[in-house]
Amino acid sequence: TYVNCSLKGFRKVSASQAIRFGFSQEKITGVMDFPLSKNSLLDINVFLGIKDVLTRKRLYTTMFAILVISAFIIIVPQNLYSTISSNDFIGYMGIGDCDLYISIQQTDNIIDKAREITQAMESDPDILKYAVLTTKTFTIKRPDGLREGIKIELGDHLAFPVEYHQGRAPLAEDEIALSILNAKELGISAVGDSITLISSEGEQQLIVCGIYSDITNGGKTAKARFNDNSTDIMWHVICAKLTDKSLINSKVSEYGEKYSFAKVIDIDERILQIFGSTITSVKKAALTAVALALLITVLIILLFMKMLIVKDRYSIAVMKALGFINRDIKIQYISRSVLVLTIGLVLGTVLANTLGELLARTLISSFGVSSFKFVINPILAYLLSPLMLLSAVLIATRIGISRAGDIKIAHNIKE
């Protein structure tokens, strides 16, 4: 289809134009708006290059589209990687922003062992705050009457809050917060709905006070703060915040050696445990996207510039006849590429941070994350990426116009 549309352009070439120029002359519009006589700021070659782009906009559409797509392909995977590897992503994992993550499970006397650690934290001046969270399995009654098991994390969820898509953390004993996937499975669409909890004491109605993002335990978790002594403990988690982040490694070693029955790690290690393989895969995909986008950019710009030189051979011959040297002509073509690249980068970056974020949110939502926002690394997105694209465009342009100096005046200026 594209080839057919391109070939239709030959119908517009008159016999005289084909004999004289070998191609159809573009309709130049807006030339009078950019007179050379009024230019006092730019170098004449830079001015002529910019003027050519502005007066032959349709000709540069393909080049512009490729640069927008390349910028999009480069920036979006980088932003996605920066987001899921950042500390801000902790809130989407059902874990608050803490420094130490201590897990106690598959051991006897879990309650006593958790109390032993919290007593040590009480007297530790390096611990700013901590919270104990207990996970148990309960039975709930679905709206259709069927019964189903659900893991509920009990404790103070205000100490290290997570990202809530709707509502807030549970404050009262008759409130519960559900992960997004759990809410969907249970038919909970909004805050204020209720679920029925079945225990040894009978049925209890719990009001859904919040819906949050979580990718742990298959994305199906719940948070509450009621007291329960009738159900066995699956595991205890103790989250702690330090007064100085530089102490994280030493505290991990200290508590790990002192309490061998517990698994003591820092929060970065916890992220790697849960999402490490995904982070690695996204990183590889981001690097691959950069390489492919740069390769495609170089190839397309190279072919475009070679085509442009052939198309402009008459104009180049005229400029050489007027005294322009090869260096002047190359500067004009480089100026065209840089102008189109600048506009393409701006639009590509805007699309990456809007449409790209929407596409990434759609992908991440399958893991149980909804309220997703890019965490942008400005050095990568706004410095290194444009520099890489600029280098690719300049290299392709220089190679593509290398034969412009071979055009002979006598062979291309026809009466």
Side-chain angles (χ1 to χ4, degrees):
T1 302
Y2 175 78
V3 173
N4 287 333
C5 292
S6 300
L7 292 177
K8 286 180 181 179
F10 285 113
R11 299 177 183 177
K12 302 177 182 179
V13 182
S14 65
S16 60
Q17 286 178 333
I19 294 173
R20 187 176 181 186
F21 303 110
F23 52 85
S24 175
Q25 293 289 87
E26 296 95 351
K27 293 181 180 180
I28 307 299
T29 58
V31 176
M32 297 305 297
D33 296 333
F34 308 101
L36 181 59
S37 59
K38 293 184 179 181
N39 172 52
S40 59
L41 299 176
L42 300 175
D43 175 78
I44 184 172
N45 293 308
V46 174
F47 176 83
L48 291 175
I50 294 175
K51 180 180 178 181
D52 186 77
V53 174
L54 297 178
T55 53
R56 295 198 296 177
K57 302 179 186 69
R58 292 184 60 185
L59 180 63
Y60 293 91
T61 301
T62 301
M63 179 180 178
F64 172 74
I66 291 299
L67 291 174
V68 171
I69 294 172
S70 296
F72 185 88
I73 292 174
I74 289 175
I75 294 175
V76 171
Q78 288 182 356
N79 286 350
L80 180 58
Y81 171 70
S82 298
T83 301
I84 65 176
S85 62
S86 69
N87 288 334
D88 293 338
F89 197 69
I90 297 173
Y92 297 113
M93 303 173 67
I95 308 171
D97 184 14
C98 58
D99 296 323
L100 296 183
Y101 185 91
I102 303 176
S103 175
I104 309 172
Q105 57 184 317
Q106 296 179 346
T107 183
D108 297 329
N109 301 319
I110 290 181
I111 296 177
D112 294 336
K113 291 176 178 178
R115 186 181 298 112
E116 183 182 350
I117 295 177
T118 56
Q119 289 175 349
M121 287 184 171
E122 284 285 354
S123 58
D124 191 339
D126 297 323
I127 301 294
L128 182 63
K129 63 178 180 178
Y130 68 89
V132 181
L133 303 175
T134 304
T135 299
K136 297 183 176 184
T137 299
F138 294 89
T139 301
I140 60 170
K141 182 187 292 184
R142 295 171 57 93
D144 55 11
L146 296 177
R147 298 188 177 189
E148 181 177 321
I150 184 175
K151 295 184 181 71
I152 301 179
E153 192 175 52
L154 305 175
D156 181 9
H157 299 288
L158 294 178
F160 301 100
V162 299
E163 292 286 338
Y164 280 84
H165 176 58
Q166 294 182 36
R168 53 169 174 77
L171 300 177
E173 291 194 356
D174 63 345
E175 293 181 334
I176 188 171
L178 300 174
S179 65
I180 291 173
L181 293 184
N182 237 346
K184 288 181 179 178
E185 187 170 296
L186 296 174
I188 304 298
S189 58
V191 170
D193 292 348
S194 63
I195 64 173
T196 302
L197 182 73
I198 301 174
S199 65
S200 59
E201 300 177 357
E203 296 185 356
Q204 178 185 0
Q205 293 293 318
L206 297 178
I207 306 300
V208 177
C209 63
I211 299 175
Y212 59 93
S213 298
D214 193 356
I215 60 175
T216 60
N217 297 308
K220 298 179 181 180
T221 59
K223 299 179 185 295
R225 60 179 307 155
F226 58 81
N227 294 317
D228 176 79
N229 298 317
S230 61
T231 309
D232 293 335
I233 297 173
M234 296 185 68
W235 62 76
H236 269 311
V237 168
I238 303 174
C239 299
K241 191 79 171 179
L242 301 180
T243 57
D244 187 354
K245 287 185 177 294
S246 64
L247 299 173
I248 291 179
N249 291 334
S250 61
K251 286 298 175 181
V252 168
S253 300
E254 177 185 337
Y255 279 84
E257 293 175 0
K258 188 175 182 180
Y259 306 104
S260 58
F261 54 82
K263 187 174 183 179
V264 183
I265 57 175
D266 61 78
I267 198 62
D268 291 335
E269 181 66 23
R270 177 61 176 166
I271 293 175
L272 289 177
Q273 287 181 353
I274 298 174
F275 220 48
S277 60
T278 303
I279 293 174
T280 302
S281 298
V282 172
K283 182 179 181 180
K284 291 179 180 178
L287 294 175
T288 303
V290 170
L292 289 177
L294 293 178
L295 181 62
I296 293 172
T297 299
V298 170
L299 178 61
I300 297 299
I301 300 302
L302 176 60
L303 295 175
F304 180 81
M305 282 299 161
K306 285 184 175 292
M307 179 274 294
L308 199 57
I309 292 297
V310 173
K311 189 178 184 66
D312 291 349
R313 61 185 183 273
Y314 175 78
S315 301
I316 294 173
V318 171
M319 286 191 291
K320 294 181 74 173
L322 293 175
F324 286 88
I325 61 176
N326 292 338
R327 178 178 176 275
D328 296 329
I329 296 172
K330 290 180 179 180
I331 291 176
Q332 291 181 30
Y333 281 91
I334 290 174
S335 300
R336 301 178 193 185
S337 296
V338 172
L339 176 61
V340 177
L341 171 64
T342 301
I343 301 173
L345 268 176
V346 172
L347 182 57
T349 302
V350 172
L351 288 176
N353 294 331
T354 52
L355 178 61
E357 185 174 271
L358 178 62
L359 294 175
R361 184 183 299 123
T362 303
L363 173 65
I364 295 296
S365 63
S366 62
F367 295 99
V369 175
S370 179
S371 54
F372 175 85
K373 292 183 179 179
F374 271 152
V375 176
I376 299 173
N377 185 329
I379 296 178
L380 280 176
Y382 304 133
L383 180 61
L384 294 182
S385 296
L387 285 178
M388 287 188 292
L389 263 180
L390 176 62
S391 300
V393 169
L394 290 178
I395 291 172
T397 302
R398 289 297 299 269
I399 297 174
I401 64 176
S402 60
R403 302 299 299 272
D406 297 340
I407 293 177
K408 305 298 181 183
I409 298 174
H411 292 170
N412 293 279
I413 298 182
K414 300 178 182 180
E415 295 295 337

